[in-house]
């Protein structure tokens, strides 16, 4: 029977059958190319960790959960998925290397706590869909708030993910787990449970707040995780922390080890009766004797020392016990294996849950590393907008949305509407190196090396200035620009682009920071797609580009017969083959490496093609060039915008800042004059350019000045707005304080009144109670007097109690039965009453007809 080659969902099965343990799917973790990289079977994952692709074979364990096709949303799960048959385009991979993405991932990996977490962070994947990217950002925001505002530190200590992964992979193949592997599985379960409790505790604390929904990005993944505490207890009871089987693991282990120790003691006692030191060779106890010319002494020669200077001799009397020792060791090993097999069986029976727990630990480690890296760089988590529409059909939509957006922005009192907003963006790699250097400096200063550190800083600053001002022609341009990290970190730049702009052309002199700006922007977009914070001021807004493609650098190759121009063309062809209307394209030195007129024409054609979008086009293009003719595109097409790198002519050095809306100009002649070149030569060069070029340079200079003034004015306006916002907040806070003070005063008054009432009540209650008692006593006395008068009246009217009737005797406090009537009608006549067996004589004056109420 032929093996099935496709799953019910239509995806091909790897290897053509279900016995394969390598799947054409990627685990829901950034940077993991297959489930087997983690020892995680696809079928063993919880529903929250599966998405889009199934092709999942059944687990070997009969008690494991059955699998099914899972098509859950990758965005909802925060997953980053890719298929093996949809590998990244070579141009995308080349772009990542060109921009320094691997180096940035290394910075992030330093904040991972586990081995597999670091490996995953070193290969952070980049989702293409906006929903998936937003899910990653939500995860990062949740962990950041968890650790900063809820004081929950996610602790990954003691979790050996690498060893646990190998153990679970071995168990999935039916292999026995040794003590160290079992201990690694147990520690992973304990660590996963600890993390689960930390997150769920904060989730409960956030109930009723705005953070409740944010934390759901984490709780949806870990809520249903099984801790298997009983299996952890079983492993801990049988395996020590060093991975050794305990004597108490089973009766067989205890008995076999006891027998083993007894034999060893008897054998050592026999060997101590022989000359020489007791040792062991090939698993048999023996004595070590010095070598002699007569040869080895009587006994079995087990071996000699490496130099031949000693013999390992087993005396004849030790042979039987050594044989018993070997058998006892075999029994002990068999007993230990029985224990390990029993524990391995428990792991296999719950393999799905354990693999899911391992995956959750690694995933949470990756998210935590992203959050901690973001705090380290002081970054801002981005928000995403759809990539603006491209093409003729969308022109009307863009125009309408543009008007609506500006009206909305004006109504809200916000600044201009941008599709890309990256203010005060710092180059991520340069910032990382600067922060690392700061960390090292702090450590050295703590060790008392403050003086040496200051000298190093001074030397580095001088070296940076020399390299930035006097870069040699042999040094690579991007490396020259990277040296512009001053003592206070990389220079921040603003990259703010309106939705209608499809391409930005950056011009300016060499070593001015054009390539560094290009790379910083590209890395910022990649960081946002990976769920990382971006080193820029709040808020950060970026379109959800599906890919970043770049042609940066010089790729000459004499062996491949490639010139600079040919290298650029080859990379541009690769970029266009992978780009579309949702791609970000970065081009460095467009049109260089060939004759200027033709190079400029080729650059214009290329940029005009890219802004059209579609296959081979781009959603947004940022390009650098030395061809001033490319800057005229802005005046022919609204989709283009100009920018330039600022140059300080007094210091003859670049400032590494971007000036938007202003084309760059050549400063070669000004630099030459400033460096002392013969004035006649400089003037001759100016004359050869003609008045037209001089007028252009003069106009650009005026624009630069105006731009600086506008920037300064905007800065002043922003400062005033900030001051107004601060005053507004203080006013609101003052009003709240006044309201709180008034409320507090009213509360204190109410409390004082309540206390006074309570004190008065406490004083009055005893008086009132005493008066009530006295009134009650007077009432009772009056009632008694009234009853006495009524009784006297009855007696005077001739009333006499009959035998058998009941009368009340006050002095006895009881109602008694009359057994003898009075002998005369006189008021003091005597009668006899009885209660029980007791009879008492009383006069008529001592009785009442009935008991008073």
């Amino acid at each position: 029977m032929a093996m099935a080659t496709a799953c019910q969902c239509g995806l091909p099965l790897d290897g053509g059958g279900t016995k394969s343990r390598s799947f054409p799917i990627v685990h829901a973790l950034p940077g993991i190319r297959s489930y087997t990289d983690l020892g995680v079977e696809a079928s063993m994952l919880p529903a929250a960790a599966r998405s889009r692709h199934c092709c999942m074979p059944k687990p070997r364990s009969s008690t494991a959960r059955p699998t099914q096709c899972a098509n859950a949303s990758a965005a909802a799960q925060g997953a980053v998925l890719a298929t093996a048959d949809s590998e990244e385009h070579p141009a995308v991979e080349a772009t990542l290397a060109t921009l320094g993405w691997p180096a940035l991932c290394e910075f992030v990996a330093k904040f991972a706590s586990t081995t597999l977490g670091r490996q995953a962070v070193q290969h952070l994947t980049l989702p293409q869909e906006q929903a998936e990217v937003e899910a990653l950002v939500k995860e990062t925001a949740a962990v950041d708030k968890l650790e900063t505002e809820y004081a929950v530190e996610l602790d990954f200590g003691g979790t050996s993910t690498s060893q646990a992964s190998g153990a679970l992979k071995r168990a999935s193949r039916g292999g026995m787990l040794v003590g160290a592997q079992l201990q690694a599985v147990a520690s992973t379960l304990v660590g996963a449970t600890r993390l689960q409790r930390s997150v769920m505790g904060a989730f409960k604390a956030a109930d009723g707040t705005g953070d409740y929904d944010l934390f759901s990005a984490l709780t949806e993944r870990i809520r249903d995780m099984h801790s298997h505490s009983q299996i952890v207890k079983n492993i801990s009871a049988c395996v020590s922390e060093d991975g050794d089987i305990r004597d108490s693991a089973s009766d067989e282990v205890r008995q076999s080890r006891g027998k083993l120790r007894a034999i060893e003691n008897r054998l050592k006692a026999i060997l101590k009766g022989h000359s020489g030191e007791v040792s062991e060779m090939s698993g048999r106890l023996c004595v070590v004797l010095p070598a002699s010319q007569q040869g080895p002494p009587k006994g079995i020669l087990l071996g000699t020392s490496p130099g031949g200077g000693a013999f390992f001799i087993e005396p004849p009397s030790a042979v039987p016990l050594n044989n018993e020792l070997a058998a006892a060791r075999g029994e002990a090993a068999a007993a230990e294996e029985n224990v390990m097999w029993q524990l391995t069986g428990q792991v296999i029976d719950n393999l799905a849950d354990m693999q899911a727990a391992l995956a959750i630990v690694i995933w949470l480690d990756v998210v935590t590393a992203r959050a901690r890296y973001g705090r380290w760089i002081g970054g801002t988590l981005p928000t995403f907008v759809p990539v603006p529409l491209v093409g003729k059909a969308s022109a009307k939509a863009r125009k309408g949305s543009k008007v609506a957006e500006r009206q909305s922005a004006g109504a809200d009192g916000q600044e201009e509407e941008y599709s890309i907003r990256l203010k005060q963006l710092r180059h991520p790699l340069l910032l990382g190196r600067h922060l690392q250097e700061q960390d090292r400096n702090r450590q050295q200063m703590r060790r008392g090396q403050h003086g040496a550190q200051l000298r190093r800083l001074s030397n580095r600053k001088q070296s940076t200035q020399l390299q930035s001002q006097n870069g040699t022609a042999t040094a690579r341009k991007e490396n020259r620009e990277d040296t512009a990290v001053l003592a206070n970190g990389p220079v921040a730049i603003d990259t703010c682009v309106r939705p209608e702009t499809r391409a930005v052309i950056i011009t300016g002199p060499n070593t001015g920071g054009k390539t560094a700006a290009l790379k910083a922007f590209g890395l910022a977009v990649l960081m946002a797609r990976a769920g990382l914070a971006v080193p820029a001021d709040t808020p950060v807004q970026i379109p959800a580009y599906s890919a970043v493609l770049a042609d940066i650098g010089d790729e000459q190759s004499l062996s491949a017969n490639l010139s600079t121009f040919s290298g650029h063309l080859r990379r541009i062809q690769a970029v266009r083959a992978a780009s579309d209307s949702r791609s970000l394209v970065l081009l460095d030195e467009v049109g260089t490496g060939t004759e200027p007129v033709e190079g400029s024409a080729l650059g214009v054609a290329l940029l005009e093609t890219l802004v059209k979008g579609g296959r081979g086009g781009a959603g947004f293009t940022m390009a650098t060039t030395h061809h001033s003719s490319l800057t005229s595109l802005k005046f022919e097409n609204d989709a283009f915008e100009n920018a330039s790198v600022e140059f300080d002519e007094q210091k003859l050095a670049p400032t590494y800042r971007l000036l938007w809306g202003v084309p760059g100009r050549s400063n070669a002649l000004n630099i030459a004059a400033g460096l002392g070149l013969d004035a006649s030569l400089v003037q001759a060069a100016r004359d050869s350019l003609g008045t037209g070029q001089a007028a252009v340079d003069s106009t650009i200079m005026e624009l630069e000045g105006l731009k600086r003034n506008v920037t300064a004015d905007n800065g002043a306006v922003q400062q005033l707005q900030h001051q107004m916002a601060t005053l507004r907040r203080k006013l609101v806070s003052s009003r709240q304080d006044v309201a709180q003070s008034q409320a507090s005063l009213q509360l204190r008054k109410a409390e004082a009144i309540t206390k006074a009432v309570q004190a008065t009540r406490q004083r009055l209650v005893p008086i009132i109670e005493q008066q009530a008692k006295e009134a009650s006593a007077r009432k009772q006395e009056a009632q008694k007097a009234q009853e006495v008068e009524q009784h006297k009246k009855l007696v005077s009217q001739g009333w006499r109690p009959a035998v058998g009737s009941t009368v009340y005797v006050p002095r006895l406090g009881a109602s008694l039965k009359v057994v003898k009537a009075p002998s005369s009608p006189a008021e003091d006549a005597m009668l006899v009453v009885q209660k029980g067996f007791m009879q008492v004589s009383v006069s008529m004056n001592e009785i009442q007809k009935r008991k008073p109420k």
Side-chain angles (χ1 to χ4, degrees), residues 469-780:
Q469 294 178 10
N470 303 313
T472 61
T474 57
R476 293 181 60 86
K477 176 164 60 70
E478 55 268 26
N479 290 339
R480 294 200 306 268
E481 292 178 352
D482 286 354
T483 60
V485 185
L486 304 180
N488 58 349
V491 177
I493 61 174
D494 292 342
T495 303
C496 299
V497 181
R498 296 187 180 89
E500 63 270 19
T501 301
R502 314 301 308 174
V504 172
I505 301 172
I506 304 175
T507 51
N510 286 326
T511 71
K514 298 190 302 298
T515 303
L518 211 62
K519 288 186 175 182
F521 178 58
L523 281 173
V525 173
L526 292 175
M527 293 171 71
R529 287 177 58 196
L532 292 168
V534 178
D537 288 353
T538 304
V540 169
Q541 181 170 285
I542 298 175
Y545 297 116
S546 61
V548 178
L549 301 160
D551 167 30
I552 298 176
D554 185 6
E555 189 177 321
Q556 295 188 46
S557 175
L558 296 179
S559 60
N561 196 25
L562 281 177
S563 64
T564 299
F565 182 67
S566 301
H568 275 294
L569 289 182
R570 190 176 69 172
R571 289 197 301 274
I572 289 172
Q573 288 176 335
V575 165
R576 292 199 60 215
S579 66
D580 57 25
S581 296
R582 295 183 56 223
S583 301
L584 168 65
V585 175
L586 307 174
L587 302 176
D588 189 29
E589 301 294 357
V590 175
T592 58
T594 186
E595 195 274 328
V597 176
E598 292 184 352
S600 176
L602 184 60
V604 169
L606 174 61
L607 293 174
E608 288 180 338
T609 302
L610 289 173
V611 298
K612 292 178 181 178
R615 192 66 181 172
F620 180 73
T621 303
M622 181 176 284
T624 69
T625 185
H626 283 289
H627 296 303
S628 58
S629 58
L630 269 63
T631 61
S632 62
L633 289 171
K634 174 184 178 180
F635 308 106
E636 302 172 1
N637 190 337
D638 291 339
F640 288 90
E641 181 58 271
N642 288 327
S644 61
V645 288
E646 189 179 37
F647 188 85
D648 190 335
E649 294 187 7
Q650 294 181 351
K651 297 181 180 179
L652 297 179
T655 63
Y656 304 105
R657 292 185 176 87
L658 282 180
L659 296 177
W660 288 85
V662 179
R665 58 190 177 89
S666 174
N667 290 280
L669 297 182
N670 294 334
I671 293 174
L675 292 178
L677 189 64
D678 190 347
S680 60
L681 293 177
V682 175
Q683 186 59 44
R686 294 187 191 278
D687 294 340
S688 66
L689 289 176
T691 58
Q693 184 62 42
V696 170
D697 288 345
S698 176
T699 302
I700 294 176
M701 185 180 300
E702 292 179 5
L703 287 175
E704 289 176 352
L706 291 174
K707 188 67 176 179
R708 283 192 291 269
N709 294 336
V710 170
T711 302
D713 292 342
N714 288 338
V717 169
Q718 290 179 1
Q719 185 175 3
L720 290 174
Q721 290 177 343
H722 178 71
Q723 292 176 355
M724 290 175 58
T726 302
L727 292 174
R728 190 179 293 110
R729 286 194 298 268
K730 289 182 178 180
L731 178 60
V732 172
S733 178
S734 299
R735 289 176 177 174
Q736 292 176 348
D737 292 341
V738 171
Q740 291 177 356
S741 299
Q742 292 177 347
S744 178
L745 179 61
Q746 295 295 333
L747 181 60
R748 287 196 297 271
K749 287 182 178 180
E751 290 177 350
I753 294 173
T754 302
K755 289 180 180 179
V757 170
Q758 291 176 349
T760 303
R761 183 178 298 169
Q762 290 175 355
R763 292 194 303 269
L764 293 178
V765 164
I767 298 174
I768 293 172
E769 289 179 349
Q770 181 64 29
Q771 291 177 350
K773 288 180 181 179
E774 293 175 355
S776 177
R778 288 193 299 270
K779 183 177 180 181
Q780 290 177 0

Side-chain angles (χ1 to χ4, degrees), residues 56-72:
M56 299 180 179
K58 293 182 179 180
R60 295 189 178 189
S61 171
S62 59
T63 60
R65 295 188 179 91
T67 61
Q68 60 182 356
C69 261
N71 297 310

Side-chain angles (χ1 to χ4, degrees), residues 211-371:
D211 300 332
Y212 190 81
D213 178 66
L214 178 64
F215 288 156
S216 64
L218 305 178
T219 57
E220 289 177 357
R221 297 285 298 271
I222 67 173
R223 178 186 287 111
D224 299 328
M225 188 190 72
H226 299 280
S227 61
H228 291 291
S229 58
Q230 188 57 49
I231 296 179
V232 174
K233 291 180 181 178
N234 295 341
I235 293 176
S236 299
C238 297
V239 184
S240 68
E241 293 182 357
D242 297 330
D244 299 325
I245 303 300
R246 301 181 190 272
D247 290 349
S248 58
S250 70
D251 293 338
E252 291 79 6
V253 172
R254 183 173 57 257
Q255 293 171 2
S256 61
R257 287 183 175 177
K259 179 181 178 180
L260 178 62
R261 284 191 289 268
I263 295 174
E264 284 182 344
N265 292 335
R266 289 165 53 195
L267 188 53
K268 288 179 180 178
I270 292 175
L271 294 174
K272 286 180 180 179
H274 294 76
S275 60
E277 180 184 355
V278 177
S279 183
E280 184 174 350
M281 172 65 74
S282 302
R284 300 180 73 86
L285 293 180
C286 58
V287 293
V288 181
L289 299 174
S292 63
Q293 295 181 355
Q294 290 79 16
K298 185 178 180 181
I300 300 174
L301 178 62
L302 299 179
T304 61
S305 63
F311 295 133
F312 291 85
I313 303 298
E314 181 181 3
S317 59
V319 172
L321 284 177
N322 261 325
N323 293 337
E324 291 183 25
L325 180 63
R329 285 175 173 171
E331 292 176 5
E336 292 175 1
E337 283 192 7
N338 287 336
V339 172
M340 290 186 287
W341 271 118
Q342 290 176 6
L343 296 175
T344 301
Q346 296 178 30
V347 172
I348 292 176
D349 288 342
N350 299 277
L351 191 60
D353 293 338
M354 295 185 181
Q355 289 175 326
L358 173 62
I360 286 172
V361 169
I362 300 170
W363 162 73
L364 199 54
D365 190 21
V366 171
V367 179
T368 304
R370 298 201 307 255

Side-chain angles (χ1 to χ4, degrees), residues 447 513 520 703 738 809 841 849:
R447 296 169 186 165
L703 287 175
V738 171
V809 182
S841 295
K849 188 175 183 179

